[in-house]
Amino acid sequence: MTELVQTRGALAAARAAREGSVGVVMTMGALHAGHAELIRTAREQADHVLVTIFVNPLQFGPSEDFDQYPRTLEGDLEICRGAGVDIVFAPSAAEVYPGGEPAVRVNPGPLGEELEGASRPGFFHGVLTVVLKLINLTRPDLVFFGEKDYQQLTLVRRMVADFNLPVRVVGVPTVREADGLALSSRNRYLSAAERATALGLSAALQAGATAAKDGADADAVLVAARSVLAAAAPDAELDYLVLTDPDLQPRPVSGPARMLVAARVGRTRLIDNMPLHLAVAG
């Protein structure tokens, strides 16, 4: 039986009633198969699963889609019930921020101003502030985040380590459609033609990963990815296509690496990323 709670007091009572480990999956609702995979992984690793559903106003800029962001609580609850979620915490903004927007926020450091942070100023200040707040409210043993939002996952891990938070952060691989498109709540905004263009993002990442597997160096990997993106998604407005190390630091000469892409397709901004392995230079 899934218990819906919407106040901090009700959350505290529901959380206190659960013995054993608790895994938390933080979402903004509009749940899809990617969220279901996070929940499934949480059920495997924790005795109880708690899902938060909260569209966080702090992480939306003035020109972004806060008011239009899909809110589908009843459908989300059906997914949670079917997945065996124990508690759903779906608070109002006033419940999360009773004094209005907080004057004190988490500073994500230099990485928070790069990539997504450069395109969306203040975004990760809002993300990390609500994640820290929800960790304090839900008191999880484990928290689960998708690798699709890889910069978010990296910064949450860093915040947990830097603040000595007593929680383990678990990254869950990106869930994709059969044609390779990374699942996102914003995919519903795409027209059929735009969706075809959006496939260029994952195709570019796959081209880079294939080039790396074939022994290409970092520069050649980026050339391969950019060539495919230009051919497959000429109408996409590219924000960035970069190659970094797994912690989003400067790209390595060899070994594990991460390729990340962001682009606007029509009016929808999409992100994706993929792990790859650079051959030892020689």
Side-chain angles (χ1 to χ4, degrees), residues 13-242:
R15 174 64 180 83
R18 267 69 180 186
E19 296 182 356
S21 61
V22 172
V24 169
V25 176
M26 299 181 188
T27 82
M28 293 207 301
L31 303 187
H32 50 63
H35 297 107
E37 180 64 12
L38 291 172
I39 294 168
R40 186 193 65 77
T41 305
R43 285 220 58 84
E44 289 179 348
Q45 299 189 31
D47 297 318
H48 305 284
V49 176
L50 191 161
V51 170
T52 68
I53 296 176
F54 178 62
V55 183
N56 177 33
L58 299 191
Q59 63 196 69
F60 287 81
S63 62
E64 294 183 330
D65 58 348
F66 175 73
D67 290 332
Q68 287 74 40
Y69 194 86
R71 292 161 172 82
T72 56
L73 182 58
E74 287 307 315
D76 295 341
L77 289 173
E78 283 302 309
I79 290 174
C80 289
R81 292 183 187 112
V85 171
D86 297 275
I87 305 168
V88 172
F89 179 46
S92 65
E95 191 68 27
V96 176
Y97 304 118
E101 292 194 0
V104 177
R105 305 189 187 191
V106 177
N107 187 328
L111 179 58
E113 310 306 329
E114 301 171 8
L115 302 174
E116 288 301 287
S119 299
R120 307 174 69 185
F123 173 68
F124 286 113
H125 298 252
V127 169
L128 294 187
T129 297
V130 79
V131 168
L132 179 59
K133 196 171 186 75
L134 289 172
I135 286 174
N136 287 332
L137 289 171
T138 60
R139 296 183 293 112
D141 299 285
L142 308 97
V143 287
F144 297 81
F145 289 91
E147 290 185 359
K148 178 185 170 292
D149 297 296
Y150 193 77
Q151 190 175 6
Q152 171 181 275
L153 170 62
T154 301
L155 286 168
V156 169
R157 281 176 167 154
R158 187 167 297 179
M159 177 181 73
V160 165
D162 288 350
F163 289 177
N164 302 111
L165 301 177
V167 62
R168 180 161 66 89
V169 180
V170 180
V172 179
T174 302
V175 177
R176 299 182 181 277
E177 301 278 9
D179 56 13
L181 184 66
L183 288 180
S184 169
S185 299
R186 289 187 168 94
N187 288 352
R188 68 186 66 197
Y189 298 153
L190 299 170
S191 67
E194 289 168 348
R195 192 183 186 287
T197 296
L199 291 175
L201 275 68
S202 57
L205 295 175
Q206 188 57 60
T210 299
K213 187 176 180 180
D214 291 342
D217 64 14
D219 288 335
V221 164
L222 281 170
V223 168
R226 286 171 177 155
S227 296
V228 168
L229 184 64
D235 297 329
E237 182 183 336
L238 181 64
D239 187 347
Y240 59 79
L241 175 62
V242 298

